[in-house]
């Protein structure tokens, strides 16, 4: 599952987005423990109003992100525009409206693996989240 995240993150990097990996997959990577994640939660730059922002503009560059998911060819398809969720068989990927102005960069740790950059909270940050 992490390899799928890295491939998606690489494509996001190409359009100037450094994603934030959250959820059980992020925690699994941070701790080295196995949590058997059932989905990938990727946070991307978005409108600071969060859920109060219109669905169409909540996530910046959503049309580009949607195109990336279609181009990956893994069978991902948009299943919920409001939630920005993609499904591939029983596997779900969510592009979560987060990192409003990327001011979060100040406290998130940037990781790099195989030339791909992404944010990953520290264990202390996971406890706060």
């Amino acid at each position: 599952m992490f390899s799928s995240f890295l491939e998606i993150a690489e494509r996001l990097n190409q359009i100037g987005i450094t994603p934030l990996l959250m959820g059980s997959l992020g925690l699994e990577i941070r701790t080295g423990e196995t949590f058997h994640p059932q989905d990938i939660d990727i946070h991307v730059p978005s409108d600071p109003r969060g859920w109060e922002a219109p669905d169409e503009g909540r996530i910046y560059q959503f049309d580009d992100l949607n195109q990336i998911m279609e181009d990956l060819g893994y069978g991902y398809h948009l299943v919920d525009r409001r939630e920005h969720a993609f499904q591939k068989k029983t596997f779900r990927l969510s592009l979560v409206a987060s990192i409003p102005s990327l001011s979060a960069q100040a406290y998130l740790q940037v990781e790099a693996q195989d030339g791909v950059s992404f944010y990953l909270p520290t264990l202390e940050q996971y406890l706060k989240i």
Side-chain angles (χ1 to χ4, degrees):
M1 189 173 299
F2 185 59
S3 61
S4 295
F5 165 75
L6 286 176
E7 187 165 2
I8 293 165
E10 179 178 30
R11 295 292 300 274
L12 295 176
N13 287 176
Q14 291 171 0
I15 62 168
I17 295 174
T18 302
L20 167 62
L21 178 60
M22 290 292 297
S24 55
L25 180 59
L27 192 57
E28 185 174 275
I29 299 307
R30 177 57 72 204
T31 65
E33 297 291 324
T34 303
F35 293 104
H36 306 287
Q38 300 297 309
D39 62 0
I40 301 176
D41 296 309
I42 301 174
H43 292 227
V44 294
S46 65
D47 189 306
R49 295 175 292 169
W51 288 107
E52 294 175 13
D55 292 344
E56 294 297 316
R58 185 174 316 119
I59 290 183
Y60 300 149
Q61 296 178 270
F62 183 74
D63 290 337
D64 294 336
L65 300 172
N66 190 35
Q67 189 63 52
I68 285 171
M69 296 308 296
E70 289 179 11
D71 290 349
L72 283 173
Y74 293 124
Y76 287 109
H77 61 281
L78 185 64
V79 293
D80 188 332
R81 173 73 185 196
R82 179 167 168 72
E83 297 280 335
H84 305 98
F86 295 84
Q87 188 89 25
K88 175 187 167 186
K89 296 184 182 176
T90 60
F91 179 74
R92 191 171 178 107
L93 180 139
S94 296
L95 294 173
V96 180
S98 183
I99 327 177
S101 64
L102 287 184
S103 60
Q105 289 179 10
Y107 68 88
L108 290 172
Q109 188 171 347
V110 178
E111 302 288 323
Q113 185 159 340
D114 300 328
V116 178
S117 296
F118 59 96
Y119 295 109
L120 186 64
T122 65
L123 288 177
E124 181 180 325
Q125 290 165 337
Y126 264 107
L127 288 173
K128 290 179 182 178
I129 294 167

